Amino acid sequence: MIKTKVTEILGCKYPIIGGTMARISNPEFVAAASNAGACAVLASANYESPDELREAIKKTQSLTNQPFAVNINLFPALMPQEKLVEYVDATLDEGVKIIETSGHKAPEQLVPKFKEGGAIWIHKCAGVRYAIKGASLGADMITVVGYENGGATGTLDIGTLVMTPSVVDSLDVPVIAGGGISDGRGIAAVLALGAEGVIIGTRMMATKECPIHDNLKQAFVQAAETDTSLVMRSIHNTHRMWRNKAAQQIIDLEAQKAPLETIIQAASGQKAEKMYKEGDIDAGMVSCGQGVGLIKDVPTVKELLDRMMKEAEEVISRLQNITT
Ligand SMILES: Cc1cc2nc3c(=O)[nH]c(=O)nc-3n(C[C@H](O)[C@H](O)[C@H](O)COP(=O)(O)O)c2cc1C
């Protein structure tokens, strides 16, 4: 059994954060991942009002008694800054004591609320300087994702292998690292780099409980590590996406220097939702990391996490056995 500061502080069985995924991380999926041993993260950006978030939290609590977190997305285009406070209040009022922030610079104005509410605050970012800033503001843990990561990658383009030890060396608080982790070898590697936990997104999509259409899960099983691209860099919102027709259309628009509104309209999250529900795998864009190339099946979340942790333990003991 692998025990780290992350399992100790968050109270989860495995040192795994089930990464928040917009339009995907709903109560049922979060509960499935937390019941399977991860600390999963509910995406507050899925909800149009703090009351809707409250209902989602209550639903999640009815489905699991294991720890889960709520993600507060700081990206200004996604949520007006004054609204953020209401989402944080809703989270704390409903008794969730693990809050992850992501998507923009560390939220200085919210820190007193996290602290007064007794929350464990995890700030997720994609660079050493942002990690240092988050920790200096009082983050209890920092999550850092490298270039392989599915979703927002930032602008620095530093891979997980270099990003993780750089951040670990710069901070006193526990570090959770990810970007490209799809099996137990990845977990063991990131722990070897000094992280106390790992974050997994892309790999979790190809599981039975993930609320996306089976066509997309099967497409991920078939995909190679070369099938992702960085998109929306020209509008300062770089994301790593699965390179389907919808992503290629954005890449083409960016190459043509299309106006911002055209790109934003083409990238609409509603199209992704249609793809998730109806299974037309070219209908919208989906965040996807390079680790998609390592996906070979669609197990339950529990089968996946048990298998990954068993493999991580085997890797660690194999490495112990090669030392003389
Ligand atoms: C489909 C998808 C949607 C995501 N949505 C969000 C999001 O809304 N907010 C966020 O902070 N991270 C989001 N992420 C990033 C994940 O939470 C996690 O950090 C990332 O997936 C880890 O890298 P990996 O995909 O290589 O495992 C998303 C990732 C994926 C694959």
Side-chain angles (χ1 to χ4, degrees), residues 22-23 75 77-78 230-239 241-242 244-254 258-276 282-287:
R23 297 173 194 269
F75 190 56
L78 207 67
L230 296 183
V231 299
M232 299 190 292
R233 178 151 277 184
S234 66
I235 61 168
H236 309 293
N237 189 18
T238 311
H239 275 62
M241 298 283 187
W242 183 48
N244 61 355
K245 280 192 187 143
Q248 190 58 54
Q249 187 200 359
I250 308 284
I251 294 167
D252 295 344
L253 285 171
E254 291 190 275
L260 177 68
E261 304 74 52
T262 314
I263 296 175
I264 289 178
Q265 207 182 8
S268 140
Q270 274 144 9
K271 293 184 185 173
E273 196 151 326
K274 190 169 151 54
M275 166 174 58
Y276 296 159
D282 282 314
M285 276 204 300
V286 53
S287 291

Side-chain angles (χ1 to χ4, degrees), residues 16-66:
I16 296 177
I17 306 299
T20 195
M21 295 192 265
R23 297 173 194 269
I24 293 175
S25 295
N26 63 15
E28 290 79 6
F29 188 47
V30 166
S34 283
N35 284 334
C39 174
V41 189
L42 190 67
S44 71
N46 287 351
Y47 304 102
E48 286 189 357
S49 70
D51 282 344
E52 277 187 36
L53 173 62
R54 282 176 199 275
E55 288 313 308
I57 291 172
K58 284 186 189 136
K59 179 83 196 273
T60 313
Q61 287 163 335
S62 75
L63 297 171
T64 183
N65 56 8
Q66 296 302 305

Side-chain angles (χ1 to χ4, degrees), residues 278-299:
E278 296 173 14
D280 173 356
I281 58 170
D282 282 314
M285 276 204 300
V286 53
S287 291
C288 175
Q290 293 177 338
V292 72
L294 298 170
I295 298 177
K296 303 287 177 243
D297 61 358
V298 183

Side-chain angles (χ1 to χ4, degrees), residues 157-211:
D157 298 351
I158 307 295
T160 305
L161 194 61
V162 170
M163 180 80 87
T164 306
S166 300
V167 172
V168 167
D169 287 349
S170 305
L171 305 184
D172 292 326
V173 295
V175 172
I176 297 158
I181 298 180
S182 288
D183 58 28
R185 294 171 295 184
I187 295 175
V190 167
L191 295 179
L193 296 172
E196 296 282 339
V198 304
I199 185 163
I200 304 174
T202 301
R203 182 63 188 91
M204 300 280 278
M205 290 177 79
T207 56
K208 292 215 161 63
E209 295 91 336
C210 184

Side-chain angles (χ1 to χ4, degrees), residues 141-164:
M141 294 184 191
I142 292 289
T143 296
V144 70
V145 289
Y147 185 65
E148 301 91 323
N149 164 65
T153 55
T155 55
L156 302 175
D157 298 351
I158 307 295
T160 305
L161 194 61
V162 170
M163 180 80 87
T164 306

